[in-house]
Amino acid sequence: MYDVAIIGAGPAGGSAAIFTAKAGKKTVILDSDQGVTKRAMLYNHYGVKEITGPQLVKTGIEQAKHYGAELIEAKVTGISKTENGFKLQYENGEVEAKHVILATGFLTDLAESIGLNTKPGTEPRVKTIFDVDANGKTNVEGIWAAGTCAGVSVHTIITAGDGAKVAINVISELNGERYVDHDVLK
């Protein structure tokens, strides 16, 4: 069983995976390669002069894998509650995790299968988002949402930050105390 399953490997999901895996949480990312970042050219991402969306996503996934996250390239078709967390079904299998972070961008079709509350989106072309609190929690205990699907701006720098924020909150809940991750120069 994984500690955290993240659906979506774009900036929000990839960022969340970097934090959870680096914190030693057994992490799996499930991604169906449907993200809009793959069409982006970025000149406004802090700390990077310019980068293509596909390169940003590839680098983020590589960082998460470096810390131990696993990647399954598949579309999640269902989520169901189990005694210890959740079972995520995908095209050719299933995984179980204690916590789930939805980082599905424009896609909220999984909401109905697990009973998640949604509300109208605020960004252009984003019709529906998951209804989350300030920490990224949905109405289903153990399911979180980050990035565009949680109502933040579609800009990659913002969705990446939101993914990190939600991951810190998940890690803190798993640890039973506030988690902080600061590396320092040597």
Side-chain angles (χ1 to χ4, degrees), residues 93-129:
E94 61 187 34
V95 296
E96 290 191 20
K98 296 174 189 168
H99 289 266
V100 175
I101 299 175
L102 301 167
T104 55
F106 287 43
L107 306 174
T108 56
D109 53 340
L110 289 169
E112 196 172 315
S113 70
I114 194 68
L116 297 176
N117 292 339
T118 60
K119 61 184 182 181
T122 56
E123 290 288 296
R125 299 179 310 280
V126 180
K127 293 183 171 103
T128 306
I129 58 174

Side-chain angles (χ1 to χ4, degrees), residues 80-97:
S80 55
K81 188 86 172 116
T82 66
E83 187 176 317
N84 298 316
F86 300 92
K87 183 184 298 183
L88 289 75
Q89 296 85 27
Y90 57 93
E91 291 130 345
N92 297 313
E94 61 187 34
V95 296
E96 290 191 20

Side-chain angles (χ1 to χ4, degrees), residues 104-160:
T104 55
F106 287 43
L107 306 174
T108 56
D109 53 340
L110 289 169
E112 196 172 315
S113 70
I114 194 68
L116 297 176
N117 292 339
T118 60
K119 61 184 182 181
T122 56
E123 290 288 296
R125 299 179 310 280
V126 180
K127 293 183 171 103
T128 306
I129 58 174
F130 298 111
D131 190 4
V132 299
D133 69 12
N135 294 319
K137 286 185 174 188
T138 69
N139 62 296
V140 175
E141 186 66 31
I143 298 185
W144 309 67
T148 302
C149 69
V152 302
S153 173
V154 298
H155 297 89
T156 59
I157 193 76
I158 297 170
T159 60

Side-chain angles (χ1 to χ4, degrees), residues 52-91:
T52 66
Q55 186 59 48
L56 181 73
V57 171
K58 180 180 182 227
T59 301
I61 292 170
E62 288 171 358
Q63 286 176 285
K65 285 180 168 181
H66 171 77
Y67 291 113
E70 297 175 41
L71 174 68
I72 297 173
E73 295 178 22
K75 180 179 175 73
V76 174
T77 55
I79 302 173
S80 55
K81 188 86 172 116
T82 66
E83 187 176 317
N84 298 316
F86 300 92
K87 183 184 298 183
L88 289 75
Q89 296 85 27
Y90 57 93
E91 291 130 345

